[in-house]
Amino acid sequence: MLRCLHILSSVNLEAGGVARCVIDLCQGLAQHGVDTTLATAEPDDVPQTWQTTHPPAHTPRCVVYDPAAPLDTLAPFIADHDAVHLHVPWDRLNPAVADACTRAHTPYAISVHGMLDDWSMAQKPLKKRTYWWLTARKLLNQAAFVHTTARAEADQAQQWFDHDRVVVAPLLMDPEPFRRAADVDPWPDLAGLDIKPDPATPRFLFLSRLHPKKGVERLIEAAADLKQRKIDVELWIAGPPHEPAYLDQLNRLADQQGVADRTRFLGMVRGDTKWALYRAADVFVLPTQQENFGLVLVEAMGSGLPVLTTTGVDIWRELEAGGAKVLGGKPTPTNDITQDWTDPDPIALALQPWLADPDLRRRVGTAGREYVRRWLDPQSVVEQYIAAYENALGDRS
């Protein structure tokens, strides 16, 4: 049986999508027969069943290490596994783990999770490039393979290391929530939120961490643009703010633009509430400057929502193939949103055909759901990861 150890310092869903990716991948590997362990210093959102002494069959186990002396715990597990999978190049623990893997003759892989995208590398560039040349470049160059989720991500990442051992594989996602979403009344699960059904008003859903790069401002301005065109919409903006002052800024903007009465800031949503939002909305909009796999985009499409996003998403080609509207233009490497697809007018214009034709929205949503089902078939995706690990073991021998 293949034994795979995943290491991520913090498993906290509010911090971003990496934790969700790692949880789902570990679960999927275990369900498909891989002996899987997740090691972390902060298991905040690790399922409780993983943290028991004897997890159920086909369930990952979780190992919690002391961040003050991580290798005391990790070294025996590194030696006892066939492959180690690291996540994010900036985790300062990873170089030490990579050295331990080398000593134990255990191949390691690393997923870069969009952090080598052009936009990402342009943030705090001096700090990142210094760390890159001193530490992270060696980390990637000596990896058995570097994992990216899409060809667009691989094209950007390969500027930063010197070998071609790149595995392009989509993230593993649980299809069960998509199946449960069909024909289920969403409103009971939304009772705790400050939203009420208005069948006459189309509902836009934004669901992501609230950060300037995500384009929330442009979505609010697009709603105001539509209002001037006599098209009324409701905005549901869900996700935790990266800082409280930014949420205040967005509230002021909604008020200034005259759409505050149609804008609801819903905060962090999870579980049944999140999936109910997908079911109750009419269109999903994420006009982001940079996104890696964009889990929420896939969740929305898999739930039957028409999706609008940008070429700032690494999987934009895959989403476009499933019927998403993708606004073009190269992402800007700063937080100043200046490109054509981040102007509110193109967003409003792109959304108008969907707003005018509910039947079109339903057809686009149905086609997108079927596309996601084929594209992210769990068996096919898991086999891609297992093949990558087994190839790494073959290279070692």
Side-chain angles (χ1 to χ4, degrees):
M1 178 186 292
L2 179 66
R3 296 164 299 169
C4 186
L5 172 65
H6 286 256
I7 301 175
L8 182 65
S9 294
S10 175
V11 183
N12 185 322
L13 295 176
E14 290 198 24
V18 175
R20 177 79 269 160
C21 301
V22 174
I23 290 171
D24 289 346
L25 179 54
C26 288
Q27 183 66 70
L29 289 168
Q31 289 175 344
H32 287 80
V34 177
D35 186 348
T36 307
T37 301
L38 171 59
T40 182
E42 300 175 10
D44 300 5
D45 290 310
V46 175
Q48 288 298 316
T49 54
W50 299 15
Q51 302 182 54
T52 59
T53 305
H54 300 290
H58 304 295
T59 300
R61 71 180 62 83
C62 178
V63 173
V64 180
Y65 61 82
D66 181 354
L71 290 182
D72 290 351
T73 300
L74 292 175
F77 285 93
I78 290 170
D80 192 46
H81 283 72
D82 298 309
V84 172
H85 196 141
L86 305 176
H87 297 270
V88 309
W90 308 125
D91 190 325
R92 293 186 179 275
L93 174 62
N94 284 346
V97 171
D99 289 342
C101 288
T102 300
R103 291 192 296 271
H105 304 289
T106 302
Y108 70 88
I110 183 165
S111 292
V112 293
H113 294 290
M115 295 184 186
L116 300 184
D117 284 4
D118 295 344
W119 186 94
S120 300
M121 290 300 290
Q123 311 308 305
K124 301 178 181 177
L126 179 59
K127 179 179 179 180
K128 285 185 177 178
R129 288 172 187 250
T130 300
Y131 182 73
W132 181 258
W133 286 106
L134 292 176
T135 305
R137 183 169 175 266
K138 176 184 174 184
L139 174 69
L140 269 76
N141 283 341
Q142 295 185 352
F145 65 86
V146 176
H147 167 240
T148 68
T149 60
R151 188 70 252 168
E153 182 188 11
D155 291 342
Q156 297 172 81
Q158 284 184 282
Q159 303 174 76
W160 299 99
F161 52 91
D162 299 328
H163 67 69
D164 59 0
R165 296 188 298 276
V166 176
V167 171
V168 178
L171 296 182
L172 184 64
M173 299 188 68
D174 180 4
E176 184 59 29
F178 302 145
R179 289 194 288 265
R180 291 200 306 264
D183 302 321
V184 177
D185 181 8
W187 296 106
D189 289 327
L190 297 178
L193 299 180
D194 182 25
I195 54 178
K196 296 178 176 60
D198 180 358
T201 305
R203 298 176 284 265
F204 292 172
L205 175 62
F206 171 102
L207 197 161
S208 190
R209 185 170 59 97
L210 304 187
H211 186 280
K213 78 169 184 176
K214 303 282 187 171
V216 191
E217 293 94 340
R218 302 295 81 82
L219 177 57
I220 292 171
E221 291 169 358
D225 186 296
L226 289 166
K227 183 176 180 180
Q228 290 182 346
R229 302 168 193 260
K230 309 301 182 185
I231 301 172
D232 196 17
V233 299
E234 187 163 350
L235 297 184
W236 294 348
I237 299 174
H242 82 294
E243 56 184 31
Y246 184 57
L247 181 58
D248 294 338
Q249 176 183 329
L250 293 175
N251 271 291
R252 287 194 299 272
L253 178 63
D255 185 57
Q256 293 164 3
Q257 294 290 321
V259 294
D261 62 328
R262 287 297 192 179
T263 303
R264 300 290 179 269
F265 292 95
L266 305 176
M268 182 72 178
V269 294
R270 301 171 184 255
D272 291 341
T273 302
K274 179 182 74 170
W275 293 104
L277 282 173
Y278 288 132
R279 295 198 306 273
D282 293 297
V283 177
F284 189 86
V285 187
L286 184 65
T288 183
Q289 293 185 73
Q290 187 274 333
E291 202 80 20
N292 177 218
F293 193 73
L295 285 169
V296 292
L297 293 161
V298 178
E299 289 176 348
M301 184 175 282
S303 299
L305 275 179
V307 167
L308 183 143
T309 190
T310 74
T311 52
V313 181
D314 288 337
I315 58 168
W316 70 266
R317 290 184 178 87
E318 290 81 355
L319 294 171
E320 192 172 55
K325 288 191 177 185
V326 180
L327 302 184
K330 184 175 176 60
T332 175
T334 73
N335 280 337
D336 298 324
I337 303 174
T338 59
Q339 301 296 323
D340 59 345
W341 48 257
T342 59
D343 188 288
D345 289 338
I347 296 173
L349 289 172
L351 290 168
Q352 274 190 263
W354 286 346
L355 298 177
D357 190 343
D359 288 337
L360 175 60
R361 292 201 301 267
R362 283 190 286 271
R363 292 196 301 272
V364 171
T366 299
R369 181 192 293 125
E370 290 302 306
Y371 171 80
V372 167
R373 181 184 61 80
R374 297 189 302 271
W375 171 35
L376 298 180
D377 172 66
Q379 182 68 41
S380 173
V381 174
V382 166
E383 288 174 355
Q384 294 176 58
Y385 285 92
I386 292 174
Y389 299 140
E390 290 178 341
N391 287 339
L393 292 173
D395 291 343
R396 178 183 64 176
S397 60

